[in-house]
Short mmCIF file of all heavy atoms in Angstrom, two decimals:
data_model
loop_
_atom_site.label_atom_id
_atom_site.label_comp_id
_atom_site.label_asym_id
_atom_site.label_seq_id
_atom_site.Cartn_x
_atom_site.Cartn_y
_atom_site.Cartn_z
N ASP A 1393 22.50 36.63 -29.44
CA ASP A 1393 22.45 37.77 -30.38
C ASP A 1393 22.12 39.04 -29.66
O ASP A 1393 21.95 39.07 -28.42
CB ASP A 1393 21.46 37.54 -31.47
CG ASP A 1393 20.06 37.24 -31.01
OD1 ASP A 1393 19.67 37.78 -29.95
OD2 ASP A 1393 19.24 36.53 -31.76
N TRP A 1394 22.15 40.16 -30.41
CA TRP A 1394 21.95 41.46 -29.78
C TRP A 1394 20.43 41.80 -29.36
O TRP A 1394 20.30 42.76 -28.64
CB TRP A 1394 22.44 42.56 -30.71
CG TRP A 1394 21.62 42.64 -32.06
CD1 TRP A 1394 21.84 41.94 -33.27
CD2 TRP A 1394 20.55 43.52 -32.20
NE1 TRP A 1394 20.91 42.27 -34.18
CE2 TRP A 1394 20.09 43.19 -33.60
CE3 TRP A 1394 19.82 44.37 -31.50
CZ2 TRP A 1394 18.96 43.80 -34.17
CZ3 TRP A 1394 18.74 45.01 -32.08
CH2 TRP A 1394 18.31 44.70 -33.36
N VAL A 1395 19.54 40.97 -29.90
CA VAL A 1395 18.13 41.27 -29.52
C VAL A 1395 17.70 40.56 -28.18
O VAL A 1395 16.56 40.69 -27.79
CB VAL A 1395 17.14 40.84 -30.67
CG1 VAL A 1395 17.41 41.76 -31.87
CG2 VAL A 1395 17.18 39.42 -31.00
N GLY A 1396 18.59 39.81 -27.63
CA GLY A 1396 18.27 39.20 -26.38
C GLY A 1396 17.82 37.69 -26.40
O GLY A 1396 17.35 37.26 -25.32
N ASN A 1397 17.89 37.03 -27.55
CA ASN A 1397 17.62 35.62 -27.55
C ASN A 1397 18.71 34.84 -26.85
O ASN A 1397 19.84 35.24 -26.82
CB ASN A 1397 17.54 35.17 -29.05
CG ASN A 1397 16.33 35.77 -29.74
OD1 ASN A 1397 15.20 35.82 -29.23
ND2 ASN A 1397 16.53 36.19 -30.98
N ASP A 1398 18.22 33.82 -26.12
CA ASP A 1398 19.10 33.07 -25.26
C ASP A 1398 19.01 31.53 -25.50
O ASP A 1398 17.98 31.09 -26.02
CB ASP A 1398 18.86 33.24 -23.82
CG ASP A 1398 19.07 34.73 -23.37
OD1 ASP A 1398 20.01 35.28 -23.76
OD2 ASP A 1398 18.19 35.16 -22.52
N ILE A 1399 20.05 30.85 -25.17
CA ILE A 1399 19.88 29.40 -25.06
C ILE A 1399 19.97 29.05 -23.56
O ILE A 1399 20.89 29.54 -22.90
CB ILE A 1399 21.15 28.69 -25.78
CG1 ILE A 1399 21.11 28.98 -27.31
CG2 ILE A 1399 21.08 27.22 -25.49
CD1 ILE A 1399 22.21 28.46 -28.06
N ILE A 1400 18.96 28.42 -22.99
CA ILE A 1400 18.80 28.05 -21.71
C ILE A 1400 19.31 26.49 -21.49
O ILE A 1400 18.92 25.69 -22.31
CB ILE A 1400 17.37 28.12 -21.27
CG1 ILE A 1400 16.86 29.54 -21.57
CG2 ILE A 1400 17.23 27.77 -19.73
CD1 ILE A 1400 17.58 30.65 -20.79
N VAL A 1401 20.03 26.28 -20.51
CA VAL A 1401 20.41 24.88 -20.23
C VAL A 1401 19.87 24.55 -18.78
O VAL A 1401 20.12 25.26 -17.87
CB VAL A 1401 21.97 24.76 -20.23
CG1 VAL A 1401 22.37 23.26 -19.82
CG2 VAL A 1401 22.52 25.04 -21.53
N GLU A 1402 19.10 23.46 -18.74
CA GLU A 1402 18.49 23.06 -17.47
C GLU A 1402 18.88 21.66 -17.18
O GLU A 1402 19.16 20.77 -18.08
CB GLU A 1402 16.88 23.08 -17.67
CG GLU A 1402 16.37 24.43 -17.81
CD GLU A 1402 14.79 24.40 -17.94
OE1 GLU A 1402 14.16 23.38 -18.30
OE2 GLU A 1402 14.17 25.35 -17.67
N ALA A 1403 19.08 21.39 -15.80
CA ALA A 1403 19.33 20.06 -15.28
C ALA A 1403 18.00 19.47 -14.86
O ALA A 1403 17.24 20.16 -14.16
CB ALA A 1403 20.35 20.07 -14.12
N ILE A 1404 17.82 18.22 -15.36
CA ILE A 1404 16.52 17.52 -14.99
C ILE A 1404 16.95 16.10 -14.44
O ILE A 1404 17.55 15.28 -15.13
CB ILE A 1404 15.68 17.35 -16.25
CG1 ILE A 1404 15.28 18.64 -16.89
CG2 ILE A 1404 14.47 16.53 -15.91
CD1 ILE A 1404 14.80 18.52 -18.25
N ALA A 1405 16.60 15.90 -13.19
CA ALA A 1405 16.85 14.50 -12.57
C ALA A 1405 15.69 13.63 -12.92
O ALA A 1405 14.57 14.06 -12.81
CB ALA A 1405 16.94 14.67 -11.13
N ASP A 1406 15.89 12.42 -13.31
CA ASP A 1406 14.90 11.48 -13.74
C ASP A 1406 14.23 11.04 -12.38
O ASP A 1406 14.87 10.54 -11.52
CB ASP A 1406 15.51 10.29 -14.42
CG ASP A 1406 14.41 9.30 -14.95
OD1 ASP A 1406 13.34 9.19 -14.28
OD2 ASP A 1406 14.67 8.65 -15.98
N PRO A 1407 12.90 11.31 -12.23
CA PRO A 1407 12.34 11.01 -10.91
C PRO A 1407 12.19 9.51 -10.64
O PRO A 1407 12.04 9.16 -9.43
CB PRO A 1407 10.91 11.58 -11.09
CG PRO A 1407 10.65 11.67 -12.53
CD PRO A 1407 12.04 11.81 -13.21
N GLN A 1408 12.31 8.57 -11.70
CA GLN A 1408 12.19 7.18 -11.44
C GLN A 1408 13.55 6.46 -11.54
O GLN A 1408 13.61 5.31 -11.35
CB GLN A 1408 11.24 6.50 -12.44
CG GLN A 1408 9.77 7.04 -12.32
CD GLN A 1408 9.15 6.51 -11.04
OE1 GLN A 1408 9.56 5.57 -10.50
NE2 GLN A 1408 8.15 7.16 -10.63
N VAL A 1409 14.57 7.16 -11.96
CA VAL A 1409 15.94 6.60 -11.99
C VAL A 1409 16.87 7.41 -11.22
O VAL A 1409 17.40 8.42 -11.71
CB VAL A 1409 16.35 6.48 -13.42
CG1 VAL A 1409 17.73 5.74 -13.61
CG2 VAL A 1409 15.31 5.62 -14.31
N GLN A 1410 17.15 7.00 -10.01
CA GLN A 1410 18.09 7.76 -9.23
C GLN A 1410 19.53 7.62 -9.73
O GLN A 1410 19.84 6.54 -10.21
CB GLN A 1410 18.01 7.16 -7.78
CG GLN A 1410 18.87 7.98 -6.71
CD GLN A 1410 18.75 7.34 -5.40
OE1 GLN A 1410 18.15 6.29 -5.21
NE2 GLN A 1410 19.26 8.00 -4.44
N GLY A 1411 20.20 8.70 -9.86
CA GLY A 1411 21.62 8.64 -10.27
C GLY A 1411 21.73 9.01 -11.72
O GLY A 1411 22.85 9.03 -12.30
N VAL A 1412 20.68 9.50 -12.40
CA VAL A 1412 20.71 9.90 -13.82
C VAL A 1412 20.23 11.37 -13.84
O VAL A 1412 19.18 11.66 -13.27
CB VAL A 1412 19.94 9.03 -14.77
CG1 VAL A 1412 19.89 9.65 -16.18
CG2 VAL A 1412 20.60 7.67 -14.86
N THR A 1413 21.00 12.23 -14.45
CA THR A 1413 20.64 13.66 -14.62
C THR A 1413 20.74 13.90 -16.06
O THR A 1413 21.79 13.62 -16.69
CB THR A 1413 21.44 14.57 -13.80
OG1 THR A 1413 21.35 14.25 -12.44
CG2 THR A 1413 20.99 16.05 -13.97
N CYS A 1414 19.76 14.59 -16.70
CA CYS A 1414 19.66 15.07 -18.09
C CYS A 1414 19.93 16.51 -18.13
O CYS A 1414 19.33 17.30 -17.22
CB CYS A 1414 18.46 14.69 -18.83
SG CYS A 1414 18.23 12.89 -18.93
N HIS A 1415 20.74 16.99 -19.07
CA HIS A 1415 20.88 18.39 -19.31
C HIS A 1415 20.21 18.69 -20.60
O HIS A 1415 20.50 18.14 -21.66
CB HIS A 1415 22.31 18.87 -19.29
CG HIS A 1415 22.89 18.87 -17.87
ND1 HIS A 1415 23.39 17.67 -17.35
CD2 HIS A 1415 22.96 19.76 -16.93
CE1 HIS A 1415 23.76 17.93 -16.12
NE2 HIS A 1415 23.54 19.25 -15.85
N LEU A 1416 19.19 19.62 -20.63
CA LEU A 1416 18.38 19.99 -21.75
C LEU A 1416 18.70 21.38 -22.15
O LEU A 1416 18.63 22.30 -21.28
CB LEU A 1416 16.87 19.79 -21.45
CG LEU A 1416 15.91 20.01 -22.47
CD1 LEU A 1416 15.95 19.08 -23.59
CD2 LEU A 1416 14.49 20.03 -21.93
N ALA A 1417 19.06 21.66 -23.39
CA ALA A 1417 19.29 23.02 -23.97
C ALA A 1417 18.19 23.34 -24.86
O ALA A 1417 17.85 22.53 -25.76
CB ALA A 1417 20.63 23.07 -24.61
N TYR A 1418 17.69 24.54 -24.84
CA TYR A 1418 16.65 25.00 -25.76
C TYR A 1418 16.77 26.56 -25.98
O TYR A 1418 17.32 27.21 -25.20
CB TYR A 1418 15.24 24.57 -25.30
CG TYR A 1418 14.90 25.08 -23.96
CD1 TYR A 1418 14.23 26.37 -23.82
CD2 TYR A 1418 15.20 24.50 -22.76
CE1 TYR A 1418 13.94 26.86 -22.61
CE2 TYR A 1418 14.81 24.95 -21.51
CZ TYR A 1418 14.21 26.16 -21.46
OH TYR A 1418 13.91 26.69 -20.15
N PHE A 1419 16.10 27.02 -27.05
CA PHE A 1419 16.13 28.35 -27.40
C PHE A 1419 15.03 29.17 -26.82
O PHE A 1419 13.88 28.69 -26.69
CB PHE A 1419 16.00 28.45 -28.91
CG PHE A 1419 16.23 29.84 -29.49
CD1 PHE A 1419 17.51 30.21 -29.70
CD2 PHE A 1419 15.26 30.71 -29.93
CE1 PHE A 1419 17.87 31.46 -30.29
CE2 PHE A 1419 15.56 31.92 -30.54
CZ PHE A 1419 16.81 32.25 -30.68
N ASP A 1420 15.31 30.30 -26.19
CA ASP A 1420 14.33 31.17 -25.52
C ASP A 1420 14.33 32.56 -26.29
O ASP A 1420 15.23 33.24 -26.19
CB ASP A 1420 14.69 31.31 -24.06
CG ASP A 1420 13.67 32.10 -23.23
OD1 ASP A 1420 12.43 31.88 -23.53
OD2 ASP A 1420 13.97 32.93 -22.43
N ARG A 1421 13.15 32.80 -26.87
CA ARG A 1421 13.00 34.00 -27.67
C ARG A 1421 12.88 35.32 -26.79
O ARG A 1421 12.09 35.20 -25.77
CB ARG A 1421 11.83 33.97 -28.64
CG ARG A 1421 12.11 32.94 -29.77
CD ARG A 1421 10.91 32.75 -30.69
NE ARG A 1421 10.54 33.99 -31.27
CZ ARG A 1421 9.27 34.35 -31.50
NH1 ARG A 1421 8.30 33.55 -31.15
NH2 ARG A 1421 8.99 35.55 -32.09
N SER A 1422 13.40 36.35 -27.16
CA SER A 1422 13.25 37.64 -26.52
C SER A 1422 12.06 38.41 -26.92
O SER A 1422 11.36 38.10 -27.84
CB SER A 1422 14.48 38.55 -26.73
OG SER A 1422 14.49 39.04 -28.13
N LEU A 1423 11.64 39.45 -26.12
CA LEU A 1423 10.55 40.26 -26.46
C LEU A 1423 10.72 40.95 -27.81
O LEU A 1423 9.81 41.05 -28.61
CB LEU A 1423 10.28 41.26 -25.30
CG LEU A 1423 9.15 42.23 -25.54
CD1 LEU A 1423 7.87 41.45 -25.71
CD2 LEU A 1423 9.11 43.27 -24.43
N ILE A 1424 12.01 41.40 -28.03
CA ILE A 1424 12.22 42.17 -29.31
C ILE A 1424 12.06 41.17 -30.49
O ILE A 1424 11.46 41.49 -31.54
CB ILE A 1424 13.72 42.70 -29.33
CG1 ILE A 1424 13.82 43.79 -28.28
CG2 ILE A 1424 14.13 43.22 -30.69
CD1 ILE A 1424 15.25 44.31 -28.00
N ASP A 1425 12.49 39.92 -30.35
CA ASP A 1425 12.38 38.96 -31.42
C ASP A 1425 10.80 38.65 -31.62
O ASP A 1425 10.38 38.54 -32.74
CB ASP A 1425 13.11 37.72 -31.06
CG ASP A 1425 13.20 36.64 -32.26
OD1 ASP A 1425 13.53 37.10 -33.35
OD2 ASP A 1425 12.87 35.48 -32.01
N ARG A 1426 10.15 38.50 -30.52
CA ARG A 1426 8.72 38.28 -30.52
C ARG A 1426 7.97 39.38 -31.40
O ARG A 1426 7.09 39.13 -32.21
CB ARG A 1426 8.06 38.02 -29.30
CG ARG A 1426 8.60 36.65 -28.60
CD ARG A 1426 8.08 36.60 -27.26
NE ARG A 1426 8.64 35.55 -26.49
CZ ARG A 1426 8.42 34.25 -26.58
NH1 ARG A 1426 7.38 33.89 -27.28
NH2 ARG A 1426 8.97 33.37 -25.86
N LEU A 1427 8.33 40.65 -31.07
CA LEU A 1427 7.76 41.78 -31.72
C LEU A 1427 8.06 41.87 -33.21
O LEU A 1427 7.25 41.99 -34.05
CB LEU A 1427 8.19 43.11 -31.10
CG LEU A 1427 7.59 43.37 -29.67
CD1 LEU A 1427 8.37 44.58 -29.06
CD2 LEU A 1427 6.09 43.69 -29.79
N SER A 1428 9.39 41.65 -33.60
CA SER A 1428 9.77 41.72 -34.97
C SER A 1428 9.24 40.55 -35.77
O SER A 1428 8.99 40.76 -36.96
CB SER A 1428 11.25 41.75 -35.08
OG SER A 1428 11.85 40.63 -34.59
N GLN A 1429 9.09 39.31 -35.18
CA GLN A 1429 8.58 38.18 -35.93
C GLN A 1429 7.08 38.07 -36.05
O GLN A 1429 6.46 37.40 -36.84
CB GLN A 1429 9.12 36.90 -35.33
CG GLN A 1429 10.57 36.78 -35.33
CD GLN A 1429 11.12 36.57 -36.73
OE1 GLN A 1429 10.63 35.92 -37.59
NE2 GLN A 1429 12.38 37.16 -36.91
N GLY A 1430 6.40 38.79 -35.05
CA GLY A 1430 4.94 38.75 -35.02
C GLY A 1430 4.40 37.46 -34.42
O GLY A 1430 3.16 37.30 -34.41
N ASN A 1431 5.26 36.56 -33.97
CA ASN A 1431 4.67 35.30 -33.31
C ASN A 1431 4.93 35.43 -31.89
O ASN A 1431 6.06 35.08 -31.41
CB ASN A 1431 5.43 34.11 -34.02
CG ASN A 1431 4.91 32.82 -33.50
OD1 ASN A 1431 4.12 32.79 -32.68
ND2 ASN A 1431 5.33 31.73 -34.25
N TRP A 1432 3.94 35.88 -31.12
CA TRP A 1432 4.10 36.17 -29.76
C TRP A 1432 4.25 34.97 -28.84
O TRP A 1432 4.92 35.03 -27.78
CB TRP A 1432 2.89 36.98 -29.28
CG TRP A 1432 2.99 38.46 -29.67
CD1 TRP A 1432 2.54 38.95 -30.81
CD2 TRP A 1432 3.51 39.52 -28.94
NE1 TRP A 1432 2.75 40.23 -30.92
CE2 TRP A 1432 3.37 40.65 -29.69
CE3 TRP A 1432 4.06 39.59 -27.68
CZ2 TRP A 1432 3.78 41.94 -29.30
CZ3 TRP A 1432 4.53 40.84 -27.27
CH2 TRP A 1432 4.32 41.95 -28.05
N PHE A 1433 3.49 33.96 -29.13
CA PHE A 1433 3.27 32.89 -28.13
C PHE A 1433 4.01 31.64 -28.42
O PHE A 1433 3.61 30.59 -27.82
CB PHE A 1433 1.77 32.59 -28.09
CG PHE A 1433 0.99 33.81 -27.74
CD1 PHE A 1433 0.11 34.48 -28.77
CD2 PHE A 1433 1.04 34.47 -26.57
CE1 PHE A 1433 -0.58 35.59 -28.54
CE2 PHE A 1433 0.35 35.62 -26.27
CZ PHE A 1433 -0.49 36.19 -27.31
N GLU A 1434 5.11 31.61 -29.14
CA GLU A 1434 5.70 30.29 -29.52
C GLU A 1434 7.26 30.45 -29.55
O GLU A 1434 7.75 31.39 -30.01
CB GLU A 1434 5.19 29.82 -30.84
CG GLU A 1434 5.63 28.51 -31.26
CD GLU A 1434 4.91 27.92 -32.46
OE1 GLU A 1434 4.45 28.75 -33.26
OE2 GLU A 1434 4.91 26.77 -32.57
N ASP A 1435 7.86 29.43 -28.98
CA ASP A 1435 9.30 29.31 -29.05
C ASP A 1435 9.65 28.21 -30.01
O ASP A 1435 8.84 27.25 -30.17
CB ASP A 1435 9.88 29.00 -27.71
CG ASP A 1435 10.02 30.19 -26.76
OD1 ASP A 1435 10.38 31.29 -27.28
OD2 ASP A 1435 9.78 30.12 -25.60
N PRO A 1436 10.85 28.22 -30.66
CA PRO A 1436 11.17 27.19 -31.55
C PRO A 1436 11.23 25.76 -30.82
O PRO A 1436 11.42 25.70 -29.66
CB PRO A 1436 12.62 27.58 -31.99
CG PRO A 1436 12.81 29.03 -31.69
CD PRO A 1436 11.89 29.24 -30.51
#
Side-chain angles (χ1 to χ4, degrees):
D1393 58 27
W1394 65 272
V1395 296
N1397 291 318
D1398 296 317
I1399 295 173
I1400 306 295
V1401 180
E1402 293 181 337
I1404 303 164
D1406 187 329
Q1408 295 290 340
V1409 181
Q1410 186 178 9
V1412 172
T1413 302
C1414 296
H1415 288 86
L1416 181 66
Y1418 59 90
F1419 193 77
D1420 185 39
R1421 292 177 57 216
S1422 69
L1423 178 61
I1424 294 170
D1425 189 50
R1426 291 174 193 278
L1427 287 170
S1428 67
Q1429 299 291 326
N1431 187 349
W1432 283 87
F1433 304 110
E1434 187 171 21
D1435 281 322

